[in-house]
Amino acid sequence: MKILITGGCGFIGSHTCVELQNAGFDVVIADNLSNSKEEVIDRIEKITNKRPEFIKANLADEKECDEVFNTFSDINGVINFAAYKAVGESMDVPVKYYKNNLGILLNVLDNMQKHKIKYFVQSSSCTVYGEPDSLPIKETSPVKDATSPYGHTKQIAEQMLSFIVGKDIDAIALRYFNPIGAHKTALIGELPNGVPNNLLPFITQTAAGIRKELKVFGNDYPTSDGTCIRDYIHVVDLAKAHVVAMNRLINEKNKKPLEFFNIGTGHGYSVLEIINSFERSTGEKLNWSFAPRRAGDIIQIWADTQLAEEELGWKAQEDIDSMTSSAWNWQLQLKEE
Ligand code: UD1
């Protein structure tokens, strides 16, 4: 079976390529390298002893997307990671986000129909839930109004899929919680452009001396220690969920043409607990202080993982210290380059 991974050179995409190849799939990566590097291909090969095929393409461009599907006529399924993902930037340039994220989705689905490719896994996000009414959050919880164009593109993607799936295409949308960590070889990991927005890259860059100090956004939230709570998940666990989802589609075990699954650990950790885990697992001392709340942050969210466990037979394995220490090992390796 050959799977096309759009955005396969990125953080989650690259880890998913590794897990797919380890599971015996052939992989084709299509990526425009706008937020990643081609050398990721060499690193995937180093880890798996198998080189994924690669085509540089901007899938938001109809012609370039057609070219990918015409070049690789033996694709059986697609996992769609290619998207812009910076929440703040999406507020400044919303049209760029809608055009790119939804353009890619439409061009890919159009080609899947033309080439009779049935299996599709979409990269979605717990951001579709907004601030939860009750926790842990289930897949049946209401999707709230989006708070950013980025989040809106994830919601629209799910809604578009609900009308498009059926006889031609079956799809699974995986709603990720907060992916962190890196592969244990430290050969692949997260490579944010410029100043990181997300917590873990900011922590590792601060410990590495690239940033002066981590600002912890808010200490007066109604949580146990006053800081926000998230369900952090190891990127390798997350990558494995894609293999399981693709196999479910291929083996026609899906119960509906479009299914949604939460992909988290089911445990919430506060920002301070993450800092503690980082210091404990790495032996590094982190320079940090409290700062005002960040606009748009939700207070707390963690996943109900029962559906993924029962239906996918998938459960996250890695604990929080393994997440923070692997992120640090990746950062150390970057420093050496
Ligand atoms: C954000 C996005 C989410 C996206 C995810 C990617 C929103 C509302 N959500 O999630 O859609 O899928 O990134 O991983 O934007 N924090 C600090 N200091 C920092 C950075 C973060 O205290 O310098 C805190 C935040 O306030 C938050 C937690 O760390 O409580 C996690 O933040 P972050 O890593 O940015 O992820 P989310 O905001 O949860």
Side-chain angles (χ1 to χ4, degrees):
M1 282 279 174
K2 185 175 277 191
I3 308 298
L4 173 68
I5 312 285
T6 77
C9 291
F11 176 40
I12 308 172
S14 58
H15 287 84
T16 300
C17 290
V18 166
E19 296 308 321
L20 277 169
Q21 293 200 151
N22 284 344
F25 286 95
D26 292 330
V27 167
V28 179
I29 292 176
D31 199 307
N32 68 352
L33 303 175
S34 65
N35 194 20
S36 57
K37 293 192 176 135
E38 194 172 343
E39 72 166 278
V40 166
I41 309 287
D42 301 332
R43 288 160 172 249
I44 293 171
E45 184 181 9
K46 254 192 191 156
I47 297 172
T48 61
N49 288 320
K50 191 165 152 188
R51 192 170 182 82
E53 291 179 276
F54 173 67
I55 180 164
K56 184 169 181 229
N58 172 16
L59 299 170
D61 180 288
E62 232 179 295
K63 283 207 184 82
E64 287 192 40
C65 189
D66 293 352
E67 170 86 19
V68 170
F69 282 86
N70 291 333
T71 308
F72 298 94
S73 54
D74 51 350
I75 292 167
N76 304 102
V78 179
I79 306 183
N80 185 37
F81 293 105
Y84 293 145
K85 60 174 186 179
V87 177
E89 186 192 44
S90 80
M91 303 290 254
D92 298 335
V93 283
V95 172
K96 177 177 157 184
Y97 271 67
Y98 288 113
K99 253 179 114 169
N100 184 67
N101 295 5
L102 300 175
I104 290 171
L105 180 66
L106 283 172
N107 289 339
V108 166
L109 290 169
D110 188 20
N111 270 289
M112 286 180 66
Q113 286 181 328
K114 279 187 200 142
H115 293 265
K116 304 205 178 317
I117 301 167
K118 192 165 179 200
Y119 312 120
F120 185 75
V121 176
Q122 167 69 2
S123 162
S124 194
S125 168
C126 70
T127 195
V128 301
Y129 296 122
E131 185 82 55
D133 299 324
S134 65
L135 287 162
I137 196 145
K138 283 184 185 299
E139 288 81 351
T140 47
S141 304
V143 164
K144 300 266 182 73
D145 283 349
T147 53
S148 72
Y150 159 76
H152 199 202
T153 65
K154 293 291 176 192
Q155 293 185 345
I156 296 172
E158 288 191 354
Q159 288 160 0
M160 274 176 20
L161 280 170
S162 73
F163 288 107
I164 291 169
V165 295
K167 63 178 168 48
D168 295 338
I169 294 174
D170 277 6
I172 291 179
L174 298 179
R175 291 172 173 167
Y176 317 150
F177 283 67
N178 287 55
I180 59 170
H183 196 264
K184 62 175 189 283
T185 57
L187 285 166
I188 52 173
E190 193 170 4
L191 209 63
N193 260 342
V195 182
N197 295 308
N198 295 120
L199 180 61
L200 247 291
F202 209 103
I203 288 180
T204 57
Q205 290 195 9
T206 305
I210 302 165
R211 313 278 156 213
K212 234 176 86 206
E213 185 184 51
L214 170 77
K215 297 284 183 204
V216 174
F217 299 136
N219 63 354
D220 57 352
Y221 285 102
T223 59
S224 54
D225 63 18
T227 65
C228 292
I229 294 177
R230 298 286 183 274
D231 185 340
Y232 296 92
I233 173 160
H234 199 299
V235 66
V236 172
D237 277 330
L238 175 57
K240 288 177 180 166
H242 293 81
V243 179
V244 171
M246 186 49 81
N247 273 325
R248 179 177 174 89
L249 292 171
I250 290 169
N251 298 321
E252 319 240 312
K253 290 273 183 338
N254 51 317
K255 295 200 171 136
K256 285 182 278 184
L258 174 61
E259 295 180 313
F260 304 98
F261 293 102
N262 284 342
I263 303 297
T265 65
H267 301 286
Y269 287 95
S270 72
V271 178
L272 296 188
E273 284 173 328
I274 295 297
I275 294 174
N276 284 338
S277 162
F278 177 79
E279 292 188 334
R280 181 172 62 232
S281 70
T282 65
E284 295 293 318
K285 185 92 195 73
L286 192 73
N287 194 20
W288 67 271
S289 68
F290 284 119
R293 291 181 178 196
R294 179 172 71 175
D297 266 341
I298 58 162
I299 304 167
Q300 54 188 349
I301 187 164
W302 60 91
D304 186 316
T305 57
Q306 196 185 347
L307 193 68
E309 281 171 37
E310 285 176 8
E311 289 295 324
L312 297 178
W314 170 93
K315 193 173 169 25
Q317 302 296 324
E318 302 289 335
D319 65 20
I320 199 73
D321 285 6
S322 138
M323 300 182 211
T324 51
S325 61
S326 63
W328 179 236
N329 290 338
W330 162 246
Q331 180 68 53
L332 287 175
Q333 172 282 133
L334 282 177
K335 223 176 160 184
E336 282 163 17
E337 276 180 5

